[in-house]
């Protein structure tokens, strides 16, 4: 609105130019904040909750598992040696040298590092969770599942866009955009996995109830 510094429900701050700091025409005194921009104590409490209390609580929770695997200077050096040994295909302990195809051990847990085969079939297998492989006995049923779910995501996205355009309500548009942001992740995610199942690596996969290649 021209010639207005703010336009709040039931309160309009008219001025000659509408620029910030310009003199108000009909207001008895200059307010510190525009009426509809002032945040109540309830709103400020919610902001403090989501920006201070919840992140602080999550940081404390994250400290519990982090404290159970301390990375000291000695352990960090062992980790770097293990990474170098894994990249070279050998074994390295504290002060040891890499060599051959011996196992590389995780310095934190003391267990051997499981090397993935990195074949085309194994990489395709990793596109899906173990529960998905267990739920669908054949590649055809897995493809059908992905197609149906992809169509569902697209239909939901179209319904959200149509609903936002029809309602025109600001709150509906806001929540609709939040849901669309999730769908914009799910649609390409399932689309890429469906595309991967149509590649040559899919033909080398055995029925889905088996272990990964």
């Amino acid at each position: 609105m021209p010639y207005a510094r703010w336009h709040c429900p039931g309160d309009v701050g008219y001025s000659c130019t509408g620029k910030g700091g310009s003199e108000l025409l009909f207001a008895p005194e200059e307010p510190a904040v525009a009426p509809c921009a002032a945040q109540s104590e309830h709103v400020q409490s919610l902001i403090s909750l989501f920006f201070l209390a919840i992140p602080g609580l999550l940081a404390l929770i994250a400290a519990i598992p982090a404290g159970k695997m301390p990375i000291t200077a000695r352990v960090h050096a062992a980790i770097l040696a293990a990474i170098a040994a894994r990249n070279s295909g050998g074994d390295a302990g504290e002060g040891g040298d890499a060599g051959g195809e011996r196992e590389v051990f995780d310095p934190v847990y003391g267990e051997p590092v499981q090397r993935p085969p990195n074949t085309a079939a194994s990489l395709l297998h990793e596109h899906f969770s173990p529960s998905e492989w267990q739920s669908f006995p054949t590649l055809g049923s897995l493809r059908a599942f992905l197609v149906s779910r992809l169509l569902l995501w697209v239909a939901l996205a179209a319904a959200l866009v149509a609903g936002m355009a029809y309602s025109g309500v600001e709150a509906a548009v806001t929540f609709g955009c939040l849901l669309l942001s999730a769908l914009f992740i799910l649609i390409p995610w399932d689309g890429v996995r469906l595309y991967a199942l149509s590649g040559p690596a899919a033909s080398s996969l055995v029925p889905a109830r088996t272990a990964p290649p």
Side-chain angles (χ1 to χ4, degrees):
M1 173 183 289
Y3 309 110
R5 286 174 51 187
W6 65 77
H7 185 197
C8 301
D11 192 328
V12 180
Y14 291 105
S15 70
C16 291
T17 62
K19 295 181 179 179
S22 58
E23 184 179 356
L24 297 172
L25 296 178
F26 307 109
E29 60 182 9
E30 180 82 17
V33 182
C36 51
Q39 296 175 340
S40 65
E41 292 185 3
H42 178 67
V43 172
Q44 295 180 23
S45 299
L46 287 177
I47 293 175
S48 300
L49 174 67
F50 283 100
F51 281 88
L52 296 175
I54 293 180
L57 176 62
L58 294 178
L60 291 176
I61 295 175
I64 297 175
K68 293 183 178 180
M69 47 179 199
I71 308 297
T72 62
R74 173 174 165 273
V75 175
H76 183 252
I79 291 174
L80 294 179
I83 293 174
R86 182 183 182 277
N87 292 336
S88 63
D91 178 26
E94 298 181 18
D97 296 326
E101 292 296 328
R102 290 176 293 173
E103 289 183 325
V104 176
F105 286 86
D106 184 345
V108 177
Y109 295 103
E111 299 175 354
V113 175
Q114 299 296 326
R115 300 169 185 250
N118 288 332
T119 62
S122 68
L123 292 175
L124 174 61
H125 202 281
E126 292 171 1
H127 277 65
F128 305 92
S129 65
S131 61
E132 287 176 321
W133 285 119
Q134 291 294 326
S135 300
F136 303 100
T138 63
L139 294 179
S141 61
L142 184 56
R143 288 192 189 97
F145 165 72
L146 288 177
V147 169
S148 61
R149 197 165 72 171
L150 192 57
L151 291 175
L152 174 62
W153 300 149
V154 173
L156 286 176
L160 283 173
V161 172
M164 290 187 294
Y166 177 78
S167 68
V169 179
E170 184 177 353
V173 174
T174 300
F175 284 104
C177 290
L178 289 175
L179 294 174
L180 280 176
S181 64
L183 291 173
F184 287 159
I185 297 175
L186 293 173
I187 291 174
W189 169 254
D190 279 343
V192 167
R193 299 200 302 163
L194 180 63
Y195 178 77
L197 282 179
S198 63
S203 60
S204 62
L205 282 180
V206 293
R209 291 188 184 276
T210 62

